Amino acid sequence: MKIFNTRLSTLSDTQKAQLVEQYQADDYLLLDFDTRQHSRFRAITVSGEAVGVDLPRTGVLKGNDVLINAAGELMQVIAKPQAVTKVTADDDFLLMKGAYHLGNRHVPLMFDHSFDQGNAGYALYFENDHVLAQMLENLGLHIESTSVPFEPETGAYQTGQGHAHGHSHSHAHSDSHSYKESHSHDESHSHGHSHSHHDAPVGRSNDG
């Protein structure tokens, strides 16, 4: 089994071209946020190949991150669309108030304005929690369930580090030497490459 243990920060033109070929062959990892929080896990590529990831604890894997192994082989990580709660508001102040209350509870939050939004022009996204959703509705915010690649904000004093407070499973990698399973291909390929502009691999042109 191939083990990818280094995250690349820059790519050569040859590597970018290689990633495009791999993407077309479904040779990449489609991972949700919970899996991407781990530094050590076992996963299945979209094409069905088992691989291992064994990284230093340098933060959450982001969509479009590229990994390399000792043999120089590449593996791109795509953020998998997942069920989340979308929060919109009638004005910026109300949305800011909602963000404050969620942040006060250390909830991983994604701020976005590239999906459909409310009147405020922006939206918040967090992993589904009916108690938090009810709290926000009581504040006057609009709540709906949706599915998007979840890329929450990292800490302001961190570089690529991610907090996952309230998700004790995110610390399961600690000093374990066993791999966490991630069967990203179990979606029966229903992703249909719906990762659109969020998931285009590095070096891949928008016109295919």
Side-chain angles (χ1 to χ4, degrees):
M1 182 172 64
K2 298 176 182 178
I3 306 295
F4 295 89
N5 54 16
T6 302
R7 185 177 349 203
L8 287 180
S9 57
T10 58
L11 295 169
S12 67
D13 290 340
T14 299
Q15 289 172 324
K16 290 177 182 178
Q18 180 181 332
L19 288 176
V20 171
E21 292 180 4
Q22 289 185 213
Y23 183 82
Q24 294 170 342
D26 284 344
D27 186 17
Y28 61 91
L29 293 174
L30 187 64
L31 305 177
D32 61 16
F33 175 63
D34 283 345
T35 301
R36 288 184 282 112
Q37 293 181 80
H38 294 264
S39 62
R40 185 180 176 89
F41 57 88
R42 183 176 181 270
I44 307 294
T45 66
V46 174
S47 62
E49 180 184 4
V51 299
V53 174
D54 187 7
L55 297 170
R57 296 180 199 172
T58 54
V60 175
L61 280 169
K62 300 287 188 179
N64 290 333
D65 275 356
V66 177
L67 310 178
I68 189 169
N69 63 10
E73 297 169 301
L74 304 179
M75 181 59 61
Q76 187 163 30
V77 174
I78 300 295
K80 179 181 179 179
Q82 63 186 85
V84 293
T85 298
K86 175 183 175 181
V87 186
T88 55
D90 294 332
D91 58 69
D92 291 337
F93 177 78
L94 190 55
L95 192 66
M96 183 170 61
K97 186 175 180 180
Y100 167 80
H101 284 284
L102 290 170
N104 197 41
R105 289 161 175 78
H106 303 288
V107 177
L109 272 181
M110 180 172 74
F111 298 79
D112 203 273
H113 56 87
S114 60
F115 301 108
D116 294 332
Q117 321 89 354
N119 294 335
Y122 297 92
L124 306 175
Y125 298 82
F126 63 92
E127 292 180 295
N128 291 338
D129 184 311
H130 71 278
V131 174
L132 294 175
Q134 184 62 60
M135 175 195 72
L136 294 170
E137 286 186 321
N138 291 341
L139 290 172
L141 290 104
H142 308 302
I143 304 300
E144 65 177 281
S145 296
T146 187
S147 178
V148 298
F150 187 54
E151 297 274 20
E153 289 289 307
T154 55
Y157 297 101
Q158 304 171 50
T159 304
Q161 302 283 333
H163 274 302
H165 298 286
H167 297 271
S168 59
H169 53 273
S170 69
H171 302 288
H173 64 274
S174 59
D175 293 308
S176 170
H177 290 281
S178 62
Y179 286 104
K180 176 183 183 294
E181 290 281 356
S182 172
H183 296 284
S184 59
H185 69 299
D186 286 345
E187 298 299 315
S188 301
H189 297 278
S190 60
H191 62 282
H193 299 290
S194 62
H195 20 275
S196 64
H197 62 284
H198 281 278
D199 301 331
V202 174
R204 179 180 172 82
S205 63
N206 291 332
D207 59 8

